[in-house]
């Protein structure tokens, strides 16, 4: 019964969307900012429900994809030169660095561990002490407070061999840059990042850029509902932030989580694959937590690492290209042997196209 | 990285920590970001941390909305 209701609701939403599109003179292009949305859009087959007047492009919301190659090289350097035990979330270990991936390092006898929660590093640090343990700090506002809590715990327990290689990123600055792209009609805003930063924090999108944004949950119906709102606002030439994920996202977000972030981190510049260095878009560790900063503790002699020029990840992350416009897609670059991070991550756009589009170049 | 499925808080095991149940499988969860979570609440869990408590009232509103949308399709089909 439930499935029947969902099917019918989806039909109604898609019908509404298409009838609004048919009465509209131009096409519309929306960007989904969150990697989990990218996957959900592909796995639920939503794209096939619309006419070609609606274009959905992916944005810079896959944390592994926006992380620069230099970061992988630095991690590998810490493992090789200082014998550090590298601890990371799963996806990162297959991203190719200049000389192989973290998975390659592990198969050569290096110490690389995958964890589900940052909290696990505290136990690992105790187990392997005095060997240094370096947590690879990748992620957005949803992940950052979990690391903050971990470091607060580590400080209170005087854990001396735990470090973080920080490459955390916050979403507003790049969103502002992308919002100035003329051909984008609006944004499908992330669910769980918004749970932390709050629906009200996107007020600059309508105010300064006249772009609508809708916060969406993660199942197909949630996303359809959000797209309908975006299309409706575009047709009426309105720009507002709407929250279609009120079950989880509050206007003010999670104040406790943000206080945790502020206690441990302070704004810093960050380098994004595809967007370059964006001032104030990352986070550095504040004193006394800067004692955990691997970059301060270990002298780093790692040269800048150019990406394979044939990999188009950078332009895919800004919604400029789709994966099938990359010459390596589905041929030389496949999930089993990825050339760029967008094919590695379970949230990467190339991986999503490959998995659900069958991997053919005209998918 | 985001798990969308809410998990039920079934045990408070210590200060700021508990256990959630996801389809019979229990997992540890930190409540550091959701200090107001109570037994029986549904939590959104990310990397071992509850990031928010599901708003039950809003969840009901959402279900009603989908039901209404489904009915609208049914009546359109009859018309
Ligand atoms: S298909 Fe591979 S090489 Fe091409 S953009 Fe995607 S990740 Fe890069």
């Amino acid at each position: 019964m439930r499935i029947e209701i969902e099917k019918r609701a989806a039909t109604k939403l898609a019908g509404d969307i298409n009838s609004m599109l048919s009465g509209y003179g131009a096409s519309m292009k929306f960007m989904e900012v969150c990697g989990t949305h990218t996957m959900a859009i592909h796995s639920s087959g939503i794209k096939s429900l619309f006419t070609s007047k609606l274009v959905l492009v992916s944005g810079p919301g896959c944390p592994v994809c926006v992380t620069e190659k230099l970061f992988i090289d630095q991690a590998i350097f810490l493992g090789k030169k200082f014998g550090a035990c590298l601890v990371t979330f799963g996806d990162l270990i297959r991203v190719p660095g200049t000389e192989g991936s973290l998975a390659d390092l592990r198969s050569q006898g290096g110490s690389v561990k995958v964890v589900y929660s940052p909290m696990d590093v505290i136990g690992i640090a105790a187990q392997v002490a005095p060997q240094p343990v370096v947590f690879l700090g990748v992620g957005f506002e949803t992940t950052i407070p979990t690391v903050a809590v971990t470091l607060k715990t580590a400080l209170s327990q005087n854990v001396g061999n735990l470090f973080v290689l920080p490459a955390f990123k916050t979403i507003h600055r790049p969103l502002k840059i992308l919002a100035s792209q003329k051909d984008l009609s609006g944004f499908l805003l992330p669910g769980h990042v918004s749970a932390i930063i709050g629906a009200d924090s996107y007020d600059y999108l309508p105010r300064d850029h006249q772009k609508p944004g809708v916060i969406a949950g993660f199942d197909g119906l949630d996303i359809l509902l959000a797209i309908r709102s975006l299309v409706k606002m575009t047709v009426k030439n309105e720009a507002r932030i709407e929250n279609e994920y009120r079950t989880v996202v509050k206007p003010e977000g999670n104040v406790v989580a943000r206080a945790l972030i502020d206690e441990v981190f302070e704004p810093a510049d960050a380098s994004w694959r595809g967007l370059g260095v964006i001032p104030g878009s990352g986070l550095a560790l504040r004193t006394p937590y800067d004692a955990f900063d691997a970059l301060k503790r270990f002298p780093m002699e790692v040269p800048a690492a150019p990406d394979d020029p044939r990999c188009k990840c950078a332009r895919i992350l800004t919604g400029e290209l789709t994966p099938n416009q990359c010459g390596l897609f589905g041929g030389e670059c496949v999930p089993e042997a990825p050339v760029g991070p967008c094919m590695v991550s379970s949230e990467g756009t190339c991986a999503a196209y490959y998995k659900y589009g069958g991997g053919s170049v005209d998918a | 990285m985001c798990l969308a499925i809410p998990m039920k808080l079934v045990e408070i095991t210590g200060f700021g920590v508990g256990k959630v149940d996801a389809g019979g499988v229990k997992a540890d969860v930190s409540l550091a970001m959701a200090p107001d979570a109570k037994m029986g609440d549904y939590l959104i869990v990310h990397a071992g941390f509850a990031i928010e408590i599901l708003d039950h009232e809003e969840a009901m509103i959402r279900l009603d909305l989908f039901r209404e949308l489904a009915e609208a399709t049914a009546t359109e089909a009859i018309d």
Side-chain angles (χ1 to χ4, degrees):
Chain A
M1 186 58 197
R2 171 113 190 229
I3 292 175
E4 189 54 31
I5 288 176
E6 290 186 355
K7 252 197 210 154
R8 285 199 183 157
T11 310
K12 167 83 173 109
L13 288 168
D16 286 356
I17 292 169
N18 283 327
S19 76
M20 283 189 281
L21 285 171
S22 68
Y24 190 69
S27 61
M28 300 179 194
K29 186 168 163 185
F30 300 113
M31 173 177 276
E32 84 265 359
V33 178
C34 161
T36 311
H37 279 154
T38 302
M39 266 300 159
I41 285 167
H42 282 87
S43 67
S44 61
I46 284 179
K47 276 194 173 180
S48 63
L49 297 175
F50 314 125
T51 64
S52 57
K53 275 169 110 176
L54 183 91
V55 181
L56 292 173
V57 293
S58 308
C62 152
V64 167
C65 306
V66 293
T67 301
E68 301 249 52
K69 197 175 186 179
L70 177 66
F71 181 81
I72 304 291
D73 290 353
Q74 286 178 330
I76 289 175
F77 177 80
L78 290 174
K80 282 188 175 164
K81 171 109 190 240
F82 298 100
C85 168
L86 306 171
V87 182
T88 177
F89 294 129
D91 280 352
L92 207 62
I93 76 163
R94 290 175 50 240
V95 176
T98 304
E99 288 171 32
S101 63
L102 293 160
D104 295 331
L105 177 69
R106 182 159 71 179
S107 63
Q108 294 154 17
S111 169
V112 180
K113 291 188 196 296
V114 171
V115 289
Y116 162 65
S117 168
M119 269 316 229
D120 299 339
V121 296
I122 294 188
I124 294 174
Q127 257 169 37
V128 305
Q131 184 189 9
V133 171
V134 177
F135 180 71
L136 305 185
V138 163
F140 291 106
E141 283 94 335
T142 328
T143 305
I144 295 164
T146 71
V147 179
V149 173
T150 304
L151 293 183
K152 278 177 57 127
T153 310
L155 188 74
S156 70
Q157 296 180 4
N158 275 319
V159 180
N161 61 325
L162 173 62
F163 302 93
V164 176
L165 186 60
F168 300 108
K169 292 182 171 62
T170 53
I171 203 68
H172 285 316
R173 301 278 174 121
L175 214 50
K176 281 178 194 170
I177 295 174
L178 291 163
S180 56
Q181 283 186 13
K182 290 241 163 9
D183 70 332
L184 271 185
S185 316
F187 294 92
L188 191 71
L189 297 168
H192 292 161
V193 162
S194 301
I196 307 295
I197 65 181
D200 288 348
S201 69
Y202 298 102
D203 57 349
Y204 57 89
L205 286 175
R207 188 191 59 223
D208 302 340
H209 303 278
Q210 294 76 48
K211 300 260 156 99
V214 180
I215 298 167
F218 293 100
D219 76 28
L221 275 179
D222 287 324
I223 295 173
L224 276 174
L225 199 60
I227 292 175
R228 186 177 71 166
S229 300
L230 281 170
V231 171
K232 199 187 254 174
M233 283 193 271
T234 308
V235 166
K236 293 185 166 174
N237 199 16
E238 294 170 351
R240 278 188 310 277
I241 299 301
E242 289 187 355
N243 182 0
E244 295 286 15
Y245 196 32
R246 286 183 303 274
T247 46
V248 174
V249 177
K250 296 185 196 133
E252 72 281 11
N254 185 328
V255 181
V256 176
R258 283 210 310 282
L260 286 164
I261 298 177
D262 287 344
E263 186 180 339
V264 175
F265 295 98
E266 58 193 8
D269 298 350
S271 185
W272 298 63
R273 184 186 295 270
L275 293 161
V277 174
I278 306 176
S281 69
L283 291 168
L285 292 153
R286 273 184 207 281
T287 9
Y289 298 97
D290 55 346
F292 294 112
D293 190 341
L295 289 173
K296 290 197 173 150
R297 171 67 178 71
F298 302 103
M300 198 66 85
E301 307 141 24
V302 183
D307 285 316
D308 186 323
R310 301 167 305 163
C311 173
K312 303 281 184 275
C313 267
R315 290 168 71 193
I316 288 169
L317 290 167
T318 52
E320 202 188 320
L321 296 179
T322 52
N324 40 21
Q325 290 171 291
C326 166
L328 305 188
F329 177 75
E332 203 172 314
C333 183
V334 290
E336 300 74 47
V339 173
C342 303
M343 188 60 95
V344 176
S345 172
S346 58
E347 303 186 331
T349 310
C350 297
Y353 269 71
Y354 187 84
K355 190 163 174 203
Y356 299 106
S360 68
V361 261
D362 50 12
Chain B
M1 283 190 34
C2 296
L3 269 184
I5 304 145
M7 301 188 202
K8 191 174 178 179
L9 185 63
V10 291
E11 214 179 315
I12 308 264
T13 46
F15 182 70
V17 284
K19 273 194 196 304
V20 283
D21 182 293
V25 184
K26 287 188 182 172
D28 290 319
V29 66
S30 163
L31 304 173
M33 276 187 251
D36 299 336
K38 296 182 301 294
M39 293 280 284
D41 278 348
Y42 281 86
L43 306 177
I44 298 292
V45 178
H46 176 80
F49 286 75
I51 60 161
E52 198 48 271
I53 305 165
L54 194 84
D55 186 323
H56 184 72
E57 231 165 83
E58 286 292 350
M60 292 297 122
I61 294 173
R62 175 180 173 277
L63 280 182
D64 283 345
L65 172 67
F66 289 141
R67 228 171 262 141
E68 268 167 38
L69 286 166
E71 272 164 28
T73 337
T75 34
E76 271 170 28
I78 294 165
D79 289 348

